[in-house]
Amino acid sequence: MDSTFIYIIVTGIVALLAGIFIAGKLIYAKDTKKKLDDAELQAQKILTDAQTTAENLKKEKLLEAKERFVQLKAESDRDVLEKTRKIGDSENRIKQKEVTINQKELALDKQMKDNESIKENLNRQIDVVSVKRNELEKHQEEHIRRLEKVAGLSAEEAKSQLIESLKQEAHAQALAIQQEIVDDARQKANKEARKIVIQTIQRTAAEQAIENSITVFNLESDEIKGQIIGREGRNIRALEAATGVDLIVDDTPEAIILSSFDPLRREIARLSLQRLVSDGRIHPARIEEIVEKTRRQIEEQIMEIGERTVIELGVHGLHKELVRIVGKMRFRSSYGQNLLMHSREVANLCGIMAAELGMNPKLAKRAGLLHDIGKVPDEETELSHALLGMKLAEKYGENPAVINAIGAHHDEVEMQYVISPVVQACDSISGARPGARREIMQQYLQRIKDLENLAMAYPGVEKAYAIQAGRELRVIVEAERVTDNDSDKLSFEIAQKIQTEMTYPGQIKVTVIREKRAVNVAR
């Protein structure tokens, strides 16, 4: 009974739950259908709106396309009209050219007909001229035969004599004209050159100092002379052997004379002797030590002098070995003139002169400073100092213009750059300053003698005198053998020969004197 009741109750509950579930499903189905209907209505609305928008866009694009088509058609019509107009103009021009060409053809045909008649006329005239020329040649031959018979000379001989006389006359006139041109050019060139040189010299201050071959070493007392000489002369012999300098110890009070042709050796000996005397320990071993230390100190001093010189002159980028050679110039001399002072002066002169001439003053200074580096070689060589200096400059990578200026400043190589004659001129200016140099007497006398002998070698020269220390050569000629025109020619030739065959400082004036003397005695 109880189980049956429970079963009925459970069955009823289940049926109730099933009914509730079915009722919920029905409600949910109604809601879903409603939403589907709403969505379908909305989709239809959107589709309708899209169709309307598409129709509007289609109409707008069609309108724009029609407007663009109308615009392009108008532009095309304008282009066609323009091309048609140009074609028409071209056709008109072609027609005009055709008309012009036809006219020219007609004129050319007429001209050709006229030329044919002219040609026929010319041919007739040529025939007449040929006949006349033949007659003239016959008359000329007859005339020449008559002249040969009268003169007793053939035509070739007369022609040769005439040509020779004309040649001599033309040669004399050419020499006179050449001399006039050279004198005029020299006068103008000398005037301008003198102006530049004077301005350059005036703007360059130079000290003139004559180097000697001896140095006097002063002592506090004569007692020190014994220590310097040493026992049996060992100390003085060691000092002379170490320095290569002759020490002269004589009766001169409180002084020792250091004698050597090399200023560098004399300076090393002087400093070494000064240190030895100050130290008081003078013996051969000490002498060698002091001399070696002094030599190293002088090398350092040489580099300092070279560096200071190039800095003062504004010459940059110089090779260290060239700087050392420049410093070494301080202890060298040329004809008594200190080589470094001479090179500095030439560098300054070159810089000023180059600036006056519109050239590169720095390059000119560089060439002027290095022009004599061949005079201080580390090794003996047979080359001249100009060629040796050129090789050194080339070895250490100098500018080609500087290399050529060094080698050409004594005309040993050809001048290839404008700067080369500037260096040569400034070198001559520095060497020709009063008191700058002195020559050995034998060399001076030999140069004077060579100068006179050179003039005496010419025919017609009676006497030749070198005056003004060799700055002028006066040549006296025989009036019977040398004419006035020959005097001009002789002066020019002697001057040219001196330039090519002799080496001399400055310039030499050549004066040819020709005079006619008539002498009678009244008795």
Side-chain angles (χ1 to χ4, degrees):
M1 178 75 179
D2 292 331
S3 60
T4 304
F5 181 73
I6 292 169
Y7 176 76
I8 293 169
I9 291 171
V10 170
T11 303
I13 292 169
V14 170
L16 180 61
L17 290 173
I20 293 169
F21 178 74
I22 291 169
K25 283 286 186 178
L26 291 173
I27 294 169
Y28 178 74
K30 288 181 180 180
D31 292 338
T32 301
K33 184 179 180 182
K34 185 179 180 182
K35 288 178 180 180
L36 288 173
D37 293 338
D38 293 339
E40 185 176 356
L41 291 173
Q42 189 174 1
Q44 289 178 354
K45 184 179 179 181
I46 289 171
L47 183 59
T48 303
D49 294 339
Q51 289 177 350
T52 304
T53 304
E55 290 292 334
N56 293 333
L57 286 174
K58 182 178 178 182
K59 291 177 181 179
E60 290 176 359
K61 292 298 179 181
L62 287 172
L63 290 173
E64 289 178 0
K66 288 179 180 179
E67 291 176 357
R68 181 62 178 169
F69 174 75
V70 171
Q71 184 179 0
L72 290 175
K73 187 174 184 301
E75 291 177 357
S76 177
D77 293 340
R78 284 197 299 271
D79 291 340
V80 170
L81 290 174
E82 182 67 21
K83 290 179 179 179
T84 304
R85 185 183 63 77
K86 289 181 179 180
I87 291 170
D89 294 340
S90 299
E91 289 178 351
N92 292 331
R93 286 196 297 269
I94 291 170
K95 289 179 181 179
Q96 290 176 358
K97 287 182 180 179
E98 288 178 353
V99 172
T100 304
I101 290 169
N102 293 330
Q103 292 175 355
K104 288 183 178 180
E105 285 180 353
L106 293 174
L108 185 59
D109 292 338
K110 183 179 179 182
Q111 187 177 0
M112 288 178 66
K113 293 178 181 179
D114 294 338
N115 288 339
E116 289 178 357
S117 61
I118 292 170
K119 186 176 179 181
E120 292 176 357
N121 190 16
L122 286 175
N123 289 331
R124 287 194 298 271
Q125 291 180 3
I126 289 170
D127 294 336
V128 174
V129 169
S130 298
V131 173
K132 295 290 185 182
R133 185 176 62 184
N134 293 331
E135 294 177 356
L136 182 61
E137 287 177 354
K138 290 179 181 178
H139 287 297
Q140 187 176 3
E141 290 175 358
E142 182 65 25
H143 184 64
I144 289 172
R145 282 195 298 270
R146 291 178 182 177
L147 288 175
E148 289 176 353
K149 185 176 180 181
V150 172
L153 294 173
S154 65
E156 292 298 328
E157 292 174 349
K159 187 188 296 183
S160 299
Q161 290 184 5
L162 180 61
I163 290 173
E164 186 65 28
S165 64
L166 290 174
K167 187 186 295 183
Q168 291 178 358
E169 183 181 355
H171 184 65
Q173 291 179 357
L175 283 175
I177 294 171
Q178 180 184 7
Q179 187 64 35
E180 290 177 3
I181 293 171
V182 170
D183 291 341
D184 184 56
R186 184 182 289 115
Q187 183 178 2
K188 293 180 180 178
N190 284 340
K191 185 177 179 181
E192 292 298 322
R194 194 178 296 113
K195 179 181 177 183
I196 293 174
V197 169
I198 289 172
Q199 289 179 352
T200 304
I201 294 174
Q202 287 177 343
R203 291 168 60 185
T204 305
E207 298 179 0
Q208 304 302 338
I210 299 298
E211 291 283 347
N212 297 316
S213 60
I214 62 172
T215 299
V216 178
F217 182 76
N218 296 314
L219 302 172
E220 294 180 359
S221 65
D222 288 339
E223 297 177 357
I224 304 176
K225 290 183 179 180
Q227 297 181 14
I228 294 173
I229 295 172
R231 184 178 298 178
E232 298 177 356
R234 287 184 300 177
N235 291 345
I236 195 170
R237 285 198 302 272
L239 191 56
E240 288 179 345
T243 59
V245 175
D246 293 332
L247 274 71
I248 302 173
V249 182
D250 54 14
D251 295 335
T252 305
E254 298 180 355
I256 293 177
I257 297 175
L258 308 177
S259 177
S260 174
F261 71 93
D262 190 345
L264 182 60
R265 295 181 187 177
R266 292 204 311 272
E267 184 67 12
I268 293 173
R270 186 187 69 81
L271 292 176
S272 300
L273 195 57
Q274 184 178 3
R275 288 184 175 185
L276 289 168
V277 170
S278 300
D279 186 48
R281 294 176 296 168
I282 305 176
H283 53 82
R286 180 66 175 166
I287 288 171
E288 292 178 358
E289 179 185 351
I290 291 296
V291 169
E292 185 62 30
K293 185 181 294 185
T294 304
R295 188 173 281 111
R296 289 196 300 269
Q297 179 184 351
I298 288 293
E299 285 293 330
E300 295 176 359
Q301 185 179 351
I302 285 171
M303 286 300 297
E304 290 178 3
I305 292 171
E307 290 172 356
R308 186 166 60 250
T309 301
V310 297
I311 289 172
E312 289 175 357
L313 291 175
V315 178
H316 304 293
L318 208 61
H319 194 278
K320 287 187 177 180
E321 189 61 27
L322 293 179
V323 174
R324 188 183 73 83
I325 293 175
V326 170
K328 202 173 178 182
M329 288 181 183
R330 167 64 183 80
F331 302 99
R332 289 288 186 275
S333 61
S334 176
Y335 293 100
Q337 186 181 26
N338 182 269
L339 193 57
L340 181 59
M341 298 298 294
H342 166 64
S343 298
R344 287 171 62 99
E345 182 182 3
V346 172
N348 287 321
L349 288 168
C350 287
I352 295 172
M353 192 175 290
E356 291 287 339
L357 297 171
M359 298 161 58
N360 187 347
K362 290 186 177 180
L363 191 64
K365 273 190 176 183
R366 194 182 194 96
L369 177 64
L370 299 178
H371 80 284
D372 270 346
I373 57 174
K375 288 186 177 180
V376 284
D378 293 328
E379 298 178 358
E380 293 295 329
T381 177
E382 295 181 357
L383 292 174
S384 65
H385 76 273
L387 297 179
L388 179 60
M390 183 176 70
K391 287 185 175 296
L392 288 173
E394 187 176 3
K395 177 181 178 182
Y396 296 115
E398 275 301 311
N399 189 293
V402 175
I403 295 171
N404 181 252
I406 294 171
H409 79 278
H410 284 313
D411 293 323
E412 294 181 78
V413 298
E414 184 181 356
M415 293 185 181
Q416 299 176 350
Y417 295 88
V418 183
I419 199 173
S420 300
V422 173
V423 173
Q424 187 183 53
C426 294
D427 179 44
S428 300
I429 291 170
S430 176
R433 285 182 186 271
R437 292 186 173 184
R438 58 185 182 185
E439 283 187 292
I440 300 173
M441 182 60 69
Q442 291 80 1
Q443 293 180 351
Y444 168 73
L445 294 175
Q446 185 63 40
R447 180 164 62 83
I448 297 297
K449 185 177 179 181
D450 292 341
L451 197 59
E452 293 179 351
N453 290 337
L454 185 145
M456 291 296 295
Y458 284 87
V461 176
E462 183 178 1
K463 297 176 183 178
Y465 299 106
I467 62 175
Q468 295 185 5
R471 301 287 182 178
E472 181 177 355
L473 179 63
R474 290 192 177 177
V475 182
I476 301 173
V477 298
E478 300 175 7
E480 294 79 7
R481 298 179 59 186
V482 180
T483 65
D484 289 339
N485 289 334
D486 293 338
S487 298
D488 294 335
K489 178 182 176 183
L490 181 63
S491 175
F492 180 77
E493 289 179 354
I494 291 174
Q496 293 296 319
K497 192 169 184 180
I498 291 172
Q499 288 181 9
T500 56
E501 295 186 5
M502 294 190 66
T503 302
Y504 51 91
Q507 62 183 16
I508 298 175
K509 180 181 178 182
V510 179
T511 304
V512 175
I513 301 173
R514 177 183 179 270
E515 61 180 355
K516 178 67 175 177
R517 294 187 182 184
V519 180
N520 288 294
V521 179
R523 298 188 179 167

